[in-house]
Amino acid sequence: MEEKIAVYPGSFDPITYGHLDIIKRAIKIFDKVIVAVAHNYDKQSLFTPEEKIEMIQEEVKGYPTVSVDTFHGLLMEYMQKVKATVALRGLRATSDFEYEYHMAAMNRSLSDDIDTLFMMTGKDYFFISSRTIKEVASLGGPVAGLVPEHVARKLKQKFSQRHKG
Ligand code: ADP
């Protein structure tokens, strides 16, 4: 039987407990899960792709079926290259839905063989977003409990460099 491979694409700027919850749920469903950091997003990132990968790797190193990668360009082309058939996306509130629905529809029109699977996080994580975490961290607020300790330290370092610079 062919391996069931899922790609979990995103900005991961930085990875949060919300993302990790989705990854842990996906492990139970798929033979392989590839966490794929998107390179070409319009968004301004706080962390470089290398920093994002390093932080994700640190968190998933105990899970042999999870790997971390980056991709440029179209997600559908990347998925064909790695032989993945499912794109994973997390849903927090209904506000995520419209954007995600359009993305999934566009991706379906680009490749009919690839499905988007939406997953809900656990109740403790649904309010977490990388954006709000960066806001809180930039103001010196506590982010422990929202991101892994290692990531919280990196956030602190980033913002203290910025304040100095
Ligand atoms: P993007 O910039 O593509 O939205 P993100 O890095 O913000 O990427 O998130 C990647 C995916 O994870 C998206 O589908 C997003 O909705 C989902 N996600 C982010 N945070 C959470 C969370 N706390 N609970 C569930 N899904 C989440």
Side-chain angles (χ1 to χ4, degrees):
M1 259 241 313
E2 251 181 57
E3 273 188 324
K4 276 268 157 236
I5 305 174
V7 166
Y8 183 28
S11 317
F12 303 104
D13 189 40
I15 187 148
T16 70
Y17 278 138
H19 295 130
L20 281 170
D21 186 67
I22 298 280
I23 295 168
K24 286 177 193 166
R25 288 169 193 277
I27 289 170
K28 296 187 212 150
I29 305 175
F30 295 97
D31 299 316
K32 264 193 194 166
V33 177
I34 305 172
V35 183
V37 175
H39 244 292
N40 59 341
Y41 273 22
D42 304 335
K43 298 179 192 167
Q44 268 261 309
S45 278
L46 176 66
F47 293 98
T48 64
E50 293 72 27
E51 289 173 321
K52 293 176 184 180
I53 290 176
E54 189 268 328
M55 286 186 278
I56 302 170
Q57 252 157 3
E58 181 66 26
E59 299 313 316
V60 301
K61 63 185 179 199
Y63 302 102
T65 57
V66 181
S67 59
V68 189
D69 196 5
T70 59
F71 70 100
H72 291 267
L74 282 178
L75 173 65
M76 294 299 110
E77 283 175 6
Y78 172 72
M79 290 183 60
Q80 279 157 2
K81 192 180 89 186
V82 297
K83 299 192 167 38
T85 50
V86 174
L88 277 178
R89 296 290 288 173
L91 281 182
R92 282 161 293 201
T94 49
S95 52
D96 281 341
F97 181 75
E98 185 144 353
Y99 169 75
E100 293 289 345
Y101 178 79
H102 284 118
M103 279 267 284
M106 176 56 79
N107 283 335
R108 168 61 64 77
S109 79
L110 294 173
S111 172
D112 197 34
D113 305 330
I114 287 174
D115 276 293
T116 303
L117 180 72
F118 295 107
M119 296 182 83
M120 269 172 69
T121 36
K123 64 176 172 30
D124 298 335
Y125 307 113
F126 75 91
F127 65 93
I128 300 177
S129 76
S130 299
R131 188 170 65 85
T132 51
I133 283 169
K134 283 182 282 189
E135 259 169 46
V136 172
S138 73
L139 299 169
V143 290
L146 308 178
V147 293
E149 217 178 287
H150 173 69
V151 176
R153 273 202 305 277
K154 291 266 178 200
L155 277 164
K156 217 173 169 176
Q157 270 172 17
K158 259 295 170 202
F159 287 113
S160 69
Q161 275 165 13
R162 284 204 161 182
H163 290 314
K164 276 183 213 146

